[in-house]
Structures are given as structure tokens and as C-alpha cells.
């Protein structure tokens, strides 16, 4: 659905998104946001549960790809290296280009791809722009920046609409 800010389901965390259920839907590629989706801001190491989720994705023939807007030099690269996955930093979400380049690199079509992220106006909107199914997760931690609470409040109607139509 182009230009829609509505996600397909809202999940408590990435590990609540079942790799097997994604595989049953024909998904081959998961694009994942970094900050507040896989780890809190400033955390540099992948937690064990994220590493286990990546392994379970791969066991279901699904690739995980880090699609981050982080402007911190080396942050996305270093996180992706530790997790053993490909990445794109400065990805320009919600513009389509980053999503399209990631799918081209990974040899996946939009209908075979989901985006997992915590922000409606970057992750979700961009995914819909690119024809990719957007899955929303609750932000790991809002504390630390007042702007995050304001953004979360503005996102709430879209979050509620998304809860009604989960993809998996
Ligand atoms: Mg984020």
C-alpha cells in the first residue's frame, strides 16, 4: 500500500516475529532497523536472543539485512559484522532507494521481503513506499530523549490500526 503509514502488525519485540510463520508466507528477506529495534540506542553488541533469532531465520532460508539510518560512523557496519549479516547505513528511510538497493543486493522481490522497525514515519512508511510489508515493533527504550515520547504519541493511531491486521 504506497504512501501508507500503517504497519502489518505490532509486535512486542523482533523475537516475537516467528521465522517459520514468515517462511510460510513466502518471505526470504528481513530488513531490520537497528536503533530501538534490535538494540537500544548506543548498545553496540548483538544480544544473544537477537543472534538466536537470526539463526532461526537462516534455518528457515530467510536472510537478515541491517537497514539503518544511523549517522554514527561505523555503528551499523560494526553491529552487522558482529552479527554476521550484510548492512546498509545512512539508508535514507523513508525514501525507497535504500530498500530497493537492499533487495537488489539480496536477490529478493518486494513480496518476499518484510521490514522490521520501531518507527512509523521512517521504517513503516518507507517499506510501504517500496512495496515491502512493514512489521512494527515496540521501541525497546524511549527514555533518554524527550522527542521519542512525542513521536511515539504521534504514531499511536497508526500503531492501533496496524494491530488490527497482523501479517503473521
Ligand atoms: Mg529505530
Amino acid at each position: 500500500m504506497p504512501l501508507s503509514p500503517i504497519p502489518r502488525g505490532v509486535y512486542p519485540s523482533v523475537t516475537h516475529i516467528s521465522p517459520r510463520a514468515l517462511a510460510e508466507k513466502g518471505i526470504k528477506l528481513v530488513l531490520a532497523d537497528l536503533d530501538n529495534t534490535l538494540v537500544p540506542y548506543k548498545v553496540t553488541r548483538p544480544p544473544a536472543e537477537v543472534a538466536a533469532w537470526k539463526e532461526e531465520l537462516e534455518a528457515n532460508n530467510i536472510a537478515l539485512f541491517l537497514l539503518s539510518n544511523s549517522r554514527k560512523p561505523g555503528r551499523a557496519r560494526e553491529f552487522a559484522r558482529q552479527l554476521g549479516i550484510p548492512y546498509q547505513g545512512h539508508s535514507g528511510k523513508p525514501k525507497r532507494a535504500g530498500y530497493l538497493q537492499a533487495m537488489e543486493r539480496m536477490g529478493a522481490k518486494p513480496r518476499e521481503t518484510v521490514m522490521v522497525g520501531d518507527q512509523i514515519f521512517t521504517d513503516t512508511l518507507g517499506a510501504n513506499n517500496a512495496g515491502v510489508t512493514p512489521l512494527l515493533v515496540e521501541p525497546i527504550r524511549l527514555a533518554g530523549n524527550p522527542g521519542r515520547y512525542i513521536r511515539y504519541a504521534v504514531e499511536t493511531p497508526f500503531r492501533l490500526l496496524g494491530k488490527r491486521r497482523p501479517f503473521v
Side-chain angles (χ1 to χ4, degrees):
M1 190 189 295
L3 302 175
S4 167
I6 303 171
R8 293 292 313 275
V10 182
Y11 304 85
S13 73
V14 294
T15 57
H16 286 78
I17 300 169
S18 159
R20 176 186 287 248
L22 292 175
E24 284 169 359
K25 290 277 197 170
I27 297 304
K28 298 203 162 62
L29 175 63
V30 172
L31 306 176
D33 172 53
L34 177 57
D35 289 316
N36 254 353
T37 296
L38 295 180
V39 286
Y41 284 90
K42 297 182 181 170
V43 172
T44 56
R45 297 180 72 98
E49 63 268 24
V50 170
W53 185 65
K54 173 240 175 187
E55 296 291 332
E56 200 183 334
L57 286 168
E58 290 182 351
N60 282 277
N61 298 312
I62 299 170
L64 181 62
F65 184 104
L66 183 63
L67 191 68
S68 173
N69 275 5
S70 180
R71 291 183 294 270
K72 287 194 182 160
R75 171 154 170 71
R77 181 185 62 223
E78 181 56 20
F79 187 91
R81 185 191 66 75
Q82 291 184 63
L83 196 53
I85 63 172
Y87 78 98
Q88 177 63 54
H90 303 272
S91 67
K93 294 174 288 182
K95 291 183 190 148
R96 299 163 69 221
Y99 297 79
L100 300 181
Q101 285 164 13
M103 287 187 282
E104 190 174 323
R105 271 176 68 184
M106 302 303 288
K109 296 183 168 64
R111 68 168 182 276
E112 300 169 327
T113 305
V114 297
M115 172 77 209
V116 178
D118 70 298
Q119 284 189 38
I120 292 279
F121 298 108
T122 52
D123 304 314
T124 301
L125 189 60
N128 278 325
N129 282 345
V132 168
T133 301
L135 311 184
L136 195 73
V137 293
E138 294 289 347
I140 296 172
R141 197 160 72 204
L142 292 176
N145 181 338
R148 288 180 207 149
Y149 289 97
I150 295 166
R151 188 171 61 217
Y152 189 84
V154 172
E155 289 173 343
T156 294
F158 306 110
R159 214 170 270 275
L160 293 174
L161 288 168
K163 279 183 182 169
R164 293 184 193 164
R165 40 175 223 145
F167 181 65
V168 290

